[in-house]
Amino acid sequence: MINDLWYKNAVIYCLSVETFMDANGDGVGDFQGLLRRLDYLHGLGVTAIWLMPFQPSPGKDDGYDVADYYGVDPRFGTLGDFVEFTHGAKQRGIRVLIDLVVNHTSDQHPWFQDARKSPDSPYRDWYVWSKKKPTNANEGMVFPGVQKTTWTRDEAAGEYYFHRFYEFQPDLNTANPRVQAEILKIMGFWIQLGVSGFRMDALPFVIGTKGADVKKPVEQYDMLRTFREFLQWRQGDSVILAEANVLPETDMDYFGHDGDRMQMMFNFQVNQHLFYALAAADTGPLVEAMEATKPRPATAQWGLFLRNHDELDLGRLKPQQREKVFAEFGPDKSMQLYDRGIRRRLAPMLDGDKRRLELAYSLMFTLPGTPVLRYGDELGMGDDLNLPERNCARTPMQWSTEPHGGFTKSSKPVSPVISGGAYGFERVNAAEQRRDPESMLNWTERVIRMRKEMPEIGWGDFTVLDTGDPAVLALRYDWRNNSVVVIHNLDGKPHEVTFGLGLDDTAPALINVLSDDHSQPNDKGEHCLLLDAYAYRWYRVGGLDYLLKRSEA
Ligand code: NOJ
C-alpha cells in the first residue's frame, strides 16, 4: 500500500524541455539534453518529473496550445527520444508526469482547421460555436489586460468560437462523447510510452459546461471518475494531478467523496496564504487555509508549491492581504500581472536572502502534501522582467559559467539566459553550487533526502501546536505510531516560544534531524525554543527509548 501510493511521499520536479538542456546545439532544449541531465535530477533526489507540454505546437502559449496530441515537437526531438527519456527516468526510479492540455487545442490543430471549414465537418461539434456574439463575450477572461474577449469570430466558419484562454486556443467541446473518448485515447497513448500520469491543465474549465447560453458553468464531476477509472484500468498506479484553483468547499468534489476522482490537486488556497504569511509574518490565515483544505480521502494528496511557471495568483486573498503581498514581494507594476498576481521568481521576491529562501522552501517541504519544485529553484534562479508576461520566469536553466550558462552551444538560445547581476548565470549556476557545501543546491539536496525520510508528512495527519505567537508555525504530524514536529519562525526577528506537543502522558525530547540542536522538555513537559530570524527546525519526536515504548503501547 505504502509503495503503491507513490505520490503520497514523492518530490516532484517540474521542468520545460525547451529551456532545460540543449544537446544538439540549435538553441532549443531537447529530450537528449534532458536525458543527459537525469543523473543531476537523480542526485538531487527528486522522485518524479512533471514535464510541461512538449507536443507539436505553434508555441504561442509556451506549448499550452497543442497542435497534435500524439507527437513530440520536432524542436525537442522524436517520440523515440521521448521513450529513451522515460526509460532513463525509470531506470533511476524517477516517475514522469506530463501535462495534459485538453480544455482547448491550438487554432492550428487539424481538428479546428477542419471544423471551421464547414458545419458538416465531423469536427465541427468538437468546438463550441455561436452564430451571434454572446452577450457575455467580454466576461470570464483568464488573462485580463491581455485577452480582450472569450468569443472570437472565425471568418471561415462564419461563427463565433469560445475560448476561455487566448483567442488562438479554441475550447474543445468536452461534453461531446467523441471528445471525451479522444481524451482517454490520448491518456492511453502516453501511458503506453512510460508516463505515470498527468498534470491536468485547467480542470474546472474542462469539466464546466460551455456554450453561448451558459451564464455560470456547472462542473460535470462524473467526467473525473471516468478519467480515473480509465487510467487505473490501463495502469493501476497512474495518477492525475489536477490544476484546479477552486474554493475549499469544492475540494471533495474533485477528490471524490469516495476517493474515486482525482488523486492529487495543487493546493492554491495554501499557496496564496503561505505567501501572505511570508509577507506579513502572520500565520493565522495560513492555518485557516490548511484547516479548510484538510478534509480529503485517505488516498488523495495535495501538491504543495511555491512558484510555478505562471504568475503567483493572489485572487483568493482579502484585498488588504493581497496589498501586503504586493507591497512586500512585487511593489512595481512591472512585477505584477493580470490584475491579480506577481510574475517574479521566488529568489528575487525574497531579495535573494538565503535565510528567507530556506525558510520558504522548508515550509514547502513540510506543509501537508507532496512538494512540487520548479527547475532552477534549487539554485535560487532569478527572473528577467524585460520578457513579456510570464516568460520572465521561464528562462533557461543555468548549468555553469560557460557561455549561455552551459544551456546551449548556440549563440541564439530560445530565450535569453539571465546574465549579469545577482542572478546571472555567472553567479548562479549548478556547477559551482555543486562544489559549495553551503550552496542552495546542496541545501535542497539535503532537505529532499530528509523529507523523503519523513513519510509522516506525506501520509500523516497534522495538528497545529499552540505557540501563542502568530509569527511561529508549529506542526505535529502523526503516522503509524511515529510523530514529527516542524517549526518555522516567519519573522525577520528572533522569537522565543514555549509549546506542548499535545501528546497524551509522556513528554518526549525533540530530536533535530537537520542539526545537533535537540530539545529537552521542561518539567511541565513543554519545549522552550529560541528561534533566530527565519529559523526552521525539523524534529523527530522522542529518542529510540520513547519510540520503542510507544510502539509497545
Ligand atoms: C494553465 C497553465 O498553467 C498556463 O500556463 C496556460 O497558459 C493555461 N493553463 C492555458 O493552458
Side-chain angles (χ1 to χ4, degrees), residues 464-476:
V464 180
L465 303 178
D466 185 12
T467 62
D469 182 343
V472 177
L473 180 65
L475 298 174
R476 191 190 79 230

Side-chain angles (χ1 to χ4, degrees), residues 50 52-53 61-65 99 101 103-104 142-143 165-166 169 199 201-202 205 243 308-311 338 390 394:
W50 152 29
M52 318 197 50
D61 183 15
D62 219 14
Y64 285 93
D65 45 337
D99 244 295
V101 189
N103 175 64
H104 45 268
V142 174
F143 303 123
F165 297 92
Y166 297 111
Q169 290 166 315
R199 177 260 188 196
D201 189 62
F205 299 131
E243 189 217 9
N308 60 19
H309 61 294
D310 290 327
E311 79 288 359
Y338 310 135
R390 295 162 290 163
R394 299 174 175 182

Side-chain angles (χ1 to χ4, degrees), residues 449-469:
R449 171 200 297 252
M450 200 34 84
R451 172 62 180 76
K452 288 194 295 194
E453 290 183 31
M454 288 183 149
E456 290 83 358
I457 300 176
W459 280 89
D461 286 328
F462 73 86
T463 306
V464 180
L465 303 178
D466 185 12
T467 62
D469 182 343

Side-chain angles (χ1 to χ4, degrees), residues 37-111:
R37 290 293 182 258
L38 269 179
D39 287 317
Y40 167 84
L41 296 175
H42 186 226
L44 187 58
V46 303
T47 61
I49 297 172
W50 152 29
L51 285 189
M52 318 197 50
F54 53 80
Q55 291 82 357
S57 159
K60 288 163 101 177
D61 183 15
D62 219 14
Y64 285 93
D65 45 337
V66 176
D68 173 7
Y69 288 98
Y70 300 100
V72 167
D73 193 301
R75 297 183 315 140
F76 308 143
T78 63
L79 270 180
D81 294 328
F82 177 80
V83 172
E84 285 302 293
F85 159 69
T86 52
H87 175 68
K90 193 170 173 192
Q91 277 186 318
R92 290 165 178 85
I94 300 177
R95 293 180 181 261
V96 178
L97 303 176
I98 66 170
D99 244 295
L100 181 65
V101 189
V102 289
N103 175 64
H104 45 268
T105 68
S106 158
D107 59 359
Q108 300 308 306
H109 196 293
W111 300 337

